[in-house]
Every structure is written in C-alpha cells, then in structure tokens.
Amino acid sequence: MSDTSSNAAPLPPLPPLTAQAEHLISLGVHELAGIPADELRAFAQGAEGGAGGSGAGESGDRSSGDRASGHGNALLAVHPDRVPASALAPLLRRDDKPGFVVVDMPDVDDFTPDAVPLPDAPLYVVTGVDRGDHMANWSPEEALPALTKEDRTPLLLTEGIHWVLQQPAALERNRCFMTIGSRLRKANGTLDARTPAIWISNGTGRDGRERRNAPKVGWCWWGNRHTWLGFASATGRGRA
C-alpha cells in the first residue's frame, strides 16, 4: 500500500499525566472504575516520576523505549475491564455534543483486546500514540501487518476514547481513526468482521440530525478501506 497521508498539522503534545488524571476525575471516570481519586492521582504522579521503570515491557507488549514521563507522548488509560467503551463514549464532547455509540453496535463492550497484552493493573500508560494518517484508505486487514512490521501496537477502542478525551484535536473531519486492537471473537472462535472506529457524525440516518458533529463510536468491515480513517497505534503500554 502507498502512503496516503496528507499535510495535516501535527497534534499538540498530550497534557502531563497528572493533568490527565485530574481531567478523568472531573469527568467521574474514577467513580465509574471504582478507583479512589487519590489513587488515580498517585498513579499519575508516580508514572511521571518513574523514569527508571520498565515502561511497556511490563505488559509483554512491544515498545521503542518511550518513557511515561508526561512529556507529551504518554496517555493515561483505565483498563477496559474497569470502564468499558459504552461508559466512556458519552463523555466525549465536540461542539458541546456528547459522544455516542452507533445503534447497530449494542455489543460494543464485547470488542476486547485481541493479541494485545495489557498490564495486569487497573491503570496503565500508553506511549507513542499516533493517529496513523499515513494509512488512510487502507483496510484493517492491510494495516495490521504493517503496524506489526513497524513494531507498533494497535490501540484498543477504550484507549482511543481516552485519547480523544484528553486530546480532542485527535479527532478531525476527514482525519479520524480505527482502533483495531479491539475485536469481537464469536462463540465458534472466529473473529467478527467488524472493527471499531471513532469518527465524527454527519447527523444522517439513524444518528439523527441532532448528533451532527458529535463524536461517534462505530465500526467498519475488516476488508474495507476508508479515505478518512487512519489506524491509531502506540509503541507500548506499561505501569508506573
């Protein structure tokens, strides 16, 4: 596949992990997760100061050595077992409109990590997050081996939502992204052909006109291409 990236302006750095923790607390995510606010703050402070730790190696995930030091490349995430996508999506905001999950994805929380090891902890840090604009107009089937070859790991749906919560600029018209680290495995062991994505509603069809410009959690087929969807990925995951 060819590189289809555009001349998009670079995204601003992510806020420090301590600021991200405060934002999650202001949204009530700690309550949804059953994590005391002080525990969330302490984790973020420890992650920012833990330059001597092992980073993403703790999860068994690949890493390029990024440090969770709060210098713009680290994302604070709550384990999806604690707060699922269906609970996080309504916290998204764009033009004062809340995020939502498409009506034909009632099983959104059944899309779980697939071949993506996570730290065994309620909180963890994702490093080196990228929207994958250069893979726009690729199919998930084409993008996954390319990400693997680049030594990157695809984001989970919950991680993608966490990213947009902390950095709303990550979601732009014509520059949105898929989160193919989350897949739905059927009872017979095969993978569902749908793959999760986060984009901006046009307010058409079952979305409803009132949801135009709202953040939208939906899905696309494994073998289909979309010019406006990249593939969000990271270099690793780890605990403080």
Side-chain angles (χ1 to χ4, degrees):
M1 294 296 298
S2 61
D3 187 326
T4 57
S5 60
S6 59
N7 296 320
L11 293 173
L14 277 161
L17 293 175
T18 49
Q20 293 183 40
E22 292 301 329
H23 186 49
L24 292 181
I25 291 168
S26 73
L27 294 172
V29 173
H30 66 300
E31 295 176 342
L32 295 173
I35 300 172
D38 287 346
E39 182 178 331
L40 180 52
R41 292 187 177 104
F43 175 86
Q45 291 169 357
E48 283 192 355
S54 61
E58 294 183 7
S59 70
D61 208 345
R62 57 185 68 86
S63 172
S64 65
D66 288 303
R67 292 305 315 138
S69 58
H71 293 301
N73 75 331
L75 173 68
L76 179 58
V78 180
H79 198 288
D81 285 350
R82 289 296 191 102
V83 185
S86 62
L88 290 173
L91 302 179
L92 294 168
R93 289 291 184 279
R94 190 174 189 274
D95 291 349
D96 292 325
K97 296 181 179 181
F100 68 99
V101 179
V102 294
V103 296
D104 58 351
M105 202 178 185
D107 51 0
V108 62
D109 293 336
D110 294 330
F111 285 76
T112 57
D114 183 66
V116 177
L118 297 184
D120 185 16
L123 301 166
Y124 63 98
V125 173
V126 185
T127 53
V129 179
D130 180 75
R131 193 167 59 192
D133 290 351
H134 65 293
M135 291 182 178
N137 208 29
W138 293 33
S139 71
E141 186 175 18
E142 294 161 336
L144 183 58
L147 290 173
T148 302
K149 186 176 181 180
E150 294 175 6
D151 205 29
R152 298 187 63 85
T153 174
L155 285 196
L156 306 181
L157 175 55
T158 51
E159 292 169 349
I161 296 174
H162 274 294
W163 186 21
V164 179
L165 284 174
Q166 301 291 353
Q167 192 173 58
L171 205 63
E172 303 178 62
R173 279 243 174 245
N174 301 316
R175 296 190 185 97
C176 300
F177 58 88
M178 301 195 71
T179 53
I180 61 174
S182 296
R183 299 293 304 277
L184 171 59
R185 194 166 290 276
K186 299 178 182 179
N188 64 5
T190 62
L191 288 169
D192 191 281
R194 295 171 295 166
T195 49
I198 306 172
W199 70 96
I200 299 168
S201 174
N202 286 324
T204 57
R206 287 180 289 181
D207 288 2
R209 286 183 295 177
E210 70 280 3
R211 283 175 165 165
R212 177 172 172 78
N213 294 325
K216 172 178 178 176
V217 172
W219 57 270
C220 300
W221 296 119
W222 174 252
N224 285 9
R225 300 174 182 172
H226 298 276
T227 59
W228 38 276
L229 288 175
F231 291 85
S233 67
T235 54
R237 299 171 178 85
R239 293 177 291 182

